[in-house]
Amino acid sequence: MPNIKVFSGSSHTDLANKIAERLGIPLGKVVTKKFSNQETCVEIGESVRGEDVYIVQSGCGDINDNLMELLIMINACKIASSHRVTAVIPLFPYARQDKKDKSRAPISAKLVANMLSVAGADHIITMDLHASQIQGFFDIPVDNLYAEPAVLKWIRDNIPEWKNSCIVSPDAGGAKRVTSIADRLNVEFALIHKERKKANEVSSMVLVGDVKDRVAILVDDMADTCGTICLAAEKLQDAGALRVYAILTHGIFSGPAISRINNAVFENVVVTNTIPQVEKMKLCSKISVIDISMILAEAIRRTHNGESVSYLFSNVPM
């Protein structure tokens, strides 16, 4: 593939390597380091003049450092005369702060969008945005890819009795995602209505739908401290579910998340590798990972060649 360069930030080099391997090109040379006062320094190690540049950086780990590193890399490529700079952000940082839900609350996702645009990004590729309206915060094209095709494939391949399953959303916000998966599998769906007293803390839950004598599959876009999904799993078991699985696009797993999953009734907690999961898998045997590097690589290939990306919304590239 001529005139294309893929660089990796330091947040998820493993994913960037898989993407480059799939595209059949080497990763671009870049050195990121910190000065003693903790300022980020980035050196692009090869010419990007006239090239189509893709920078892979996920919103995980030290989120603020990684975001700053991404902004500096975009700007470095832009002022080095690259033809187009695309930020590939599998997990969009600050995506949960997408609306003014109380007075004086910031809309930080919009701020991040402005920062990326000002840094010089011409295009954004991301996956399973927490709220799809974040695409409207940008004045540049945003491709929001979905893990759904890969999730459907995993369910069919790994849950023998998937035809007797019920797809469950742990909150009302995920109802659309759940109904879409349930329709494509031709199974029932249910949802759990929850009320929060404050962030990361759930006060009450009500199950709407029937999971008795069925395999319950909880589907959500992200799990952080895992309080919600662990309570939801308990609720489903009490309601007579045979087994409970959880499938999440972004397994953030911060704070007490791993110990909660270990103590919960899950058969399996499936996440994609939008965030590095190697360390967490060592601590919890219930975690399985779906590789989504081929979806991102195919999106990059199609964008570079000027082809439509909509095929990826319902198919997994082979």
Side-chain angles (χ1 to χ4, degrees):
M1 290 172 76
N3 300 106
I4 181 171
K5 291 272 166 75
V6 177
F7 293 101
S8 171
S10 52
S11 70
H12 200 346
T13 44
D14 179 46
L15 181 65
N17 279 316
K18 284 180 175 160
I19 290 170
E21 202 176 298
R22 172 92 186 184
L23 292 169
I25 56 173
L27 264 184
K29 295 186 185 69
V30 60
V31 178
T32 55
K33 55 178 191 268
K34 281 214 165 73
F35 293 122
S36 62
N37 67 349
Q38 296 305 298
E39 279 181 11
T40 301
C41 171
V42 172
E43 290 168 17
I44 307 291
E46 54 193 82
S47 170
V48 293
R49 185 176 291 273
E51 300 276 350
D52 193 6
V53 175
Y54 294 83
I55 300 169
V56 182
Q57 180 84 303
S58 204
C60 57
D62 297 324
I63 292 175
N64 297 334
D65 281 359
N66 290 337
L67 176 59
M68 198 65 208
E69 184 181 286
L70 172 63
L71 297 169
I72 293 170
M73 285 174 82
I74 291 169
N75 194 249
C77 292
K78 197 70 190 170
I79 60 178
S81 305
S82 57
H83 167 64
R84 174 174 66 178
V85 181
T86 300
V88 182
I89 314 171
L91 170 56
F92 193 84
Y94 291 93
R96 282 177 287 183
Q97 298 182 39
D98 63 321
K99 58 184 177 290
K100 200 165 172 183
D101 51 1
K102 50 184 181 286
S103 57
R104 298 178 296 283
I107 306 176
S108 308
K110 168 71 173 153
L111 176 64
V112 172
N114 289 344
M115 287 159 76
L116 288 163
S117 299
V118 169
D122 299 298
H123 180 207
I124 306 289
I125 295 174
T126 185
M127 183 164 255
D128 270 353
L129 274 173
H130 186 63
S132 51
Q133 66 266 22
I134 291 172
Q135 291 170 88
F137 293 171
F138 290 89
D139 292 326
I140 54 174
V142 178
D143 283 319
N144 181 26
L145 305 171
Y146 300 105
E148 187 181 299
V151 166
L152 289 164
K153 187 173 182 301
W154 190 92
I155 291 173
R156 290 190 182 111
D157 293 350
N158 295 281
I159 302 178
E161 60 281 75
W162 62 267
K163 286 179 179 170
N164 179 37
S165 66
C166 182
I167 314 294
V168 186
S169 172
D171 55 25
K176 198 173 170 190
R177 183 184 299 109
V178 165
T179 46
S180 166
I181 292 173
D183 285 349
R184 289 180 65 180
L185 290 173
N186 198 18
V187 297
E188 295 294 314
F189 71 90
L191 65 88
I192 288 171
H193 175 68
K194 66 176 182 188
E195 285 174 5
R196 285 184 191 275
K197 278 185 178 148
K198 53 177 189 254
N200 293 355
E201 227 176 88
V202 178
S203 57
S204 72
M205 283 192 159
V206 181
L207 174 66
V208 183
D210 181 25
V211 294
K212 192 166 169 52
D213 299 329
R214 288 198 176 121
V215 174
I217 305 171
L218 275 163
V219 177
D220 206 357
D221 67 324
M222 61 167 68
D224 188 354
T225 55
C226 291
T228 304
I229 62 160
C230 290
L231 276 171
E234 220 170 279
K235 192 91 188 160
L236 292 168
Q237 197 188 39
D238 294 346
L242 295 175
R243 272 193 300 291
V244 184
Y245 291 84
I247 303 182
L248 316 154
T249 307
H250 310 296
I252 300 168
F253 302 149
S254 64
I258 296 292
S259 64
R260 280 176 176 169
I261 292 172
N262 280 325
N263 297 326
V265 297
F266 292 114
E267 200 76 13
N268 216 325
V269 175
V270 184
V271 291
T272 69
N273 59 343
T274 54
I275 300 173
Q277 298 292 353
V278 180
E279 292 306 311
K280 287 153 192 165
M281 286 170 81
K282 288 177 189 165
L283 301 170
C284 179
S285 59
K286 291 180 185 177
I287 296 174
S288 307
V289 172
I290 300 172
D291 182 21
I292 46 89
S293 60
M294 67 280 190
I295 297 175
L296 292 167
E298 183 64 10
I300 290 172
R301 190 193 68 75
R302 284 170 177 261
T303 304
H304 176 65
N305 294 336
E307 296 171 29
S308 166
V309 176
S310 58
Y311 169 83
L312 298 172
F313 297 162
S314 49
N315 299 277
V316 181
M318 284 300 127

